[in-house]
Each structure stands twice: as structure tokens, then as C-alpha cells.
Amino acid sequence: MTRWVQWSSLGLSLLAVALAAYLTLTHYTDPTALACPDSGVVNCTLVTTSSWSVVLGVPVAVLGLVWATAMSVLTVPAAWASGSPWVERLRTALAGVGAAMVLYLVYVELFRVGAICLWCTGVHVTAVALFAVILAARTARPEHAS
């Protein structure tokens, strides 16, 4: 696996951890602490405190933090070097779940809440970029000899 894939996937995963950790912290402490406008279309507080910000009693920020942490474990250089097919499948599947969740959350922001959260958008962009890097790695690697 090329170094750019290893380091960019790990960097994106760790960025997602940092963003999701900040969103989780503000969820449990002070949602208005988000450095984000709170009026008009860009309104982080409205998004992060809406009824849509919790799924089955679990804050979306916590789900994002768990996902980003798992992706960080699956994108360390040792995980890439392992060559294990289950690690590769799990890494790809979780990245796909993250990208699919982004589609759902952007829909919710735009059509249910009516506002955009810049911090959330940071996680969304990171998740989609991570999915793209992992897909690029899968398509660029030579097929294993049988």
C-alpha cells in the first residue's frame, strides 16, 4: 500500500476524531460554545440541539466519535500492512457506512432542521474524503495472485 494512502487515511481519521470529540464535548456541556453563527442558514446550535441530533437515545456526535475512532484503528499503518482481508473489508464497509450517514445527515440538516452546522460539515467532508481514499486504495492495488 502506498504511503500517501496510509498517512492520508490516518490523518483524515484523526481529524474526524478531533471534530467529533469537540461536537460530543459541546453536546454534553454547552451547545452554544460552538464557534459558529447561530442565526440564519448556518446555525450549529440549532442543528446540534435538534431532535434529529439523537438517534435511539445516543447523540449523533457520539456515534461519529465511535466511528472515527474505529476508522483510526483501521487506518494505522500496521492495519494497512497486515494484509488481512477482514481488516480491508471492515475498513471499506465502515468508510461506506460513514459516507452513507453523511448523506442522511445532510438531508436532515437541509430539509428537516433547515440549518447547517459548520463543525458537522467538517466531519462530513472528512468522512467522504476518507471513503474516497479507501476506495482509491482498493482500486489501485494489484489483484492477489491465486
Side-chain angles (χ1 to χ4, degrees):
M1 188 54 46
T2 60
R3 288 183 167 265
W4 81 265
V5 168
Q6 292 179 7
W7 294 111
S8 61
S9 64
L10 181 58
L12 288 165
S13 297
L14 293 174
L15 177 59
V17 167
L19 292 168
Y22 181 65
L23 286 165
T24 299
L25 177 67
T26 58
H27 177 87
Y28 286 111
T29 57
D30 181 11
T32 62
L34 293 168
C36 177
D38 63 358
S39 61
V41 175
V42 178
N43 189 330
C44 294
T45 303
L46 181 61
V47 172
T48 61
T49 60
S50 75
S51 62
W52 295 92
S53 68
V54 177
V55 175
L56 299 173
V58 180
V60 171
V62 171
L63 296 174
L65 182 56
V66 169
W67 172 83
T69 301
M71 289 307 301
S72 295
V73 170
L74 292 169
T75 58
V76 295
W80 282 105
S82 76
S84 170
W86 75 265
V87 170
E88 183 175 340
R89 285 192 290 268
L90 183 59
R91 180 174 42 239
T92 304
L94 281 181
V97 166
M101 189 68 171
V102 165
L103 294 176
Y104 167 74
L105 292 172
V106 169
Y107 165 80
V108 167
E109 283 182 313
L110 293 174
F111 301 107
R112 295 295 179 217
V113 179
I116 296 288
C117 167
L118 294 179
W119 290 97
C120 304
T121 300
V123 177
H124 299 164
V125 169
T126 304
V128 171
L130 181 58
F131 183 55
V133 167
I134 289 170
L135 284 184
R138 285 185 62 94
T139 58
R141 88 180 151 89
E143 293 299 317
H144 297 308
S146 299

